[in-house]
Amino acid sequence: MGRARQAAAYQADEKEIELVNLALHLRRPLLITGKPGIGKSTLAYAVAHELGLGPVLRWPITSRSTLGDGLYAYDAIGRLHDAGIRSGGTRTRTLSRPGPRRAAPGIGQYLRLGPLGTALLPWRHPRVLLIDEIDKSDFDFPNDLLNVFEEGEFEIPELARLGPGRQHVMTADTEGTAAVTGGVVRCTEFPFVVLTSNAQREFPTAFLRRCVRLDMQPPNAERLAAMVSAHWDNPGGEGQVLPAHAQDMIAEFLRQREDGVELANDQLLNALLMAGRVLWDGERGRHLVREVLLRPLNQG
């Protein structure tokens, strides 16, 4: 369905709205736990859409992720290679006179800020940073994050060694660049940080104490119907009646969830999209939608 459309159609409940506002005012990360596919990541996109905070900076976490991965990456080997080419360094002897020595390439084109580093730039408005599936990280990772969040800044040694001047570097935004002064990235507006977890591990107490915690529950029938209405090609006004096949599919979706079947919200939305395009009319189409688009996530 696309992130932009999912964000626009997201139906936050009262508790979610309250906790989002709490995290914004307290400048604390929002730690969202819950089952896969219930909309934890989508909430971050919905906040960015609702408040006009620009593209979400997403950082997917794996067991090998480190704090440095999110801050910045420096391609030192690439810069040395290009510097050698520019200086005319080669093993091949020629009879021609060497040309003038060209300046070494600037460091900025070899240094790219990661999602966390980009979020900590001095933006006029806070950026939304989504740190996805933090429960996959190693034990020390959450506390390492807190040290940066508490300071709201970090140093890039490769730039700091160049002195107090400004250096232009690449960012995590598509074709984005930013100026860094004195090798220090320092935020002016603390980013809105969303941490998602599938509750696969316990987190350190110090980390939990500094987060606003939201235990997200699967949407009920009324909320699902509102999401579907927002996604519908020709949504009506308040009190819109969904087509019979959409109501039947929502009811079946909820029944399966109650029976312990793992299904994601976007599976239902995609199934409804295809059903709305005549795939639900025949028995073969209904079978295809159920067996492919509504296949349980916990089924091998």
Side-chain angles (χ1 to χ4, degrees):
M1 302 296 293
R3 284 294 190 185
R5 194 169 177 186
Q6 287 184 23
Y10 188 83
Q11 304 293 312
D13 63 25
E14 185 175 349
K15 181 180 180 181
E16 291 172 2
I17 294 172
E18 290 173 348
L19 293 184
V20 164
N21 287 330
L22 195 63
L24 283 167
H25 285 288
L26 293 178
R27 294 163 45 111
R28 290 189 177 188
L30 179 66
L31 174 61
I32 307 177
T33 58
K35 294 181 179 180
I38 62 172
K40 299 188 296 297
S41 300
T42 306
L43 178 58
Y45 290 88
V47 172
H49 171 80
E50 184 74 17
L51 301 181
L53 299 180
V56 172
L57 297 162
R58 180 175 177 266
W59 182 12
I61 301 302
T62 70
S63 59
R64 299 180 298 277
S65 297
T66 66
L67 179 65
D69 297 334
L71 294 176
Y72 72 97
Y74 174 47
D75 184 8
I77 295 176
R79 189 179 184 221
L80 286 172
H81 178 267
D82 289 352
I85 293 176
R86 293 190 181 206
S87 64
T90 176
R91 294 179 179 273
T92 304
R93 294 179 178 273
T94 65
L95 296 178
S96 60
R97 178 177 297 179
R101 187 186 183 96
R102 297 174 64 186
I107 191 174
Q109 58 185 298
Y110 301 95
L111 198 150
R112 182 184 296 275
L113 299 180
L116 174 56
T118 301
L120 291 173
L121 285 168
W123 299 103
R124 182 178 179 183
H125 300 291
R127 294 294 298 271
V128 176
L129 172 63
L130 170 61
I131 303 180
D132 219 2
E133 298 189 337
I134 190 175
D135 50 334
K136 291 183 177 179
S137 66
D138 68 22
F139 183 80
D140 293 327
F141 182 81
N143 285 338
D144 291 341
L145 277 177
L146 286 182
N147 293 332
V148 175
F149 290 152
E150 289 177 353
E151 297 297 328
E153 65 179 50
F154 68 98
E155 183 184 76
I156 302 176
E158 292 85 352
L159 298 184
R161 286 194 289 266
L162 300 178
R166 289 159 57 97
Q167 299 289 333
H168 288 270
V169 302
M170 297 180 288
T171 71
D173 290 312
T174 303
E175 299 183 357
T177 61
V180 177
T181 303
V184 176
V185 175
R186 180 181 295 113
C187 70
T188 53
E189 294 292 338
F190 192 78
F192 176 63
V193 182
V194 175
L195 310 162
T196 70
S197 168
N198 294 327
Q200 298 298 316
R201 59 167 284 192
E202 296 291 333
F203 293 108
T205 303
F207 173 76
L208 294 175
R209 190 172 67 247
R210 290 171 174 83
C211 293
V212 175
R213 299 164 66 182
L214 168 62
D215 183 17
M216 184 175 285
Q217 300 298 318
N220 57 23
E222 180 181 355
R223 193 171 168 195
L224 272 176
M227 290 182 184
V228 172
S229 296
H231 275 286
W232 215 249
D233 289 337
N234 297 298
E238 185 176 352
Q240 176 197 12
V241 178
L242 293 174
H245 73 265
Q247 297 181 46
D248 292 343
M249 198 178 294
I250 291 173
E252 182 177 342
F253 181 86
L254 290 172
R255 280 196 301 270
Q256 290 192 59
R257 271 193 170 174
E258 290 174 359
D259 292 338
V261 176
E262 290 186 12
L263 290 168
N265 294 346
D266 58 353
Q267 287 180 271
L268 173 64
L269 295 172
N270 286 328
L272 286 167
L273 174 65
M274 290 297 97
R277 295 180 179 177
V278 198
L279 265 184
W280 193 257
D281 287 351
E283 184 59 35
R284 183 173 180 178
R286 288 194 289 270
H287 177 77
L288 182 66
V289 168
R290 288 193 180 99
E291 293 300 314
V292 177
L293 298 181
L294 292 177
R295 183 185 180 91
L297 300 176
N298 54 348
Q299 182 180 94

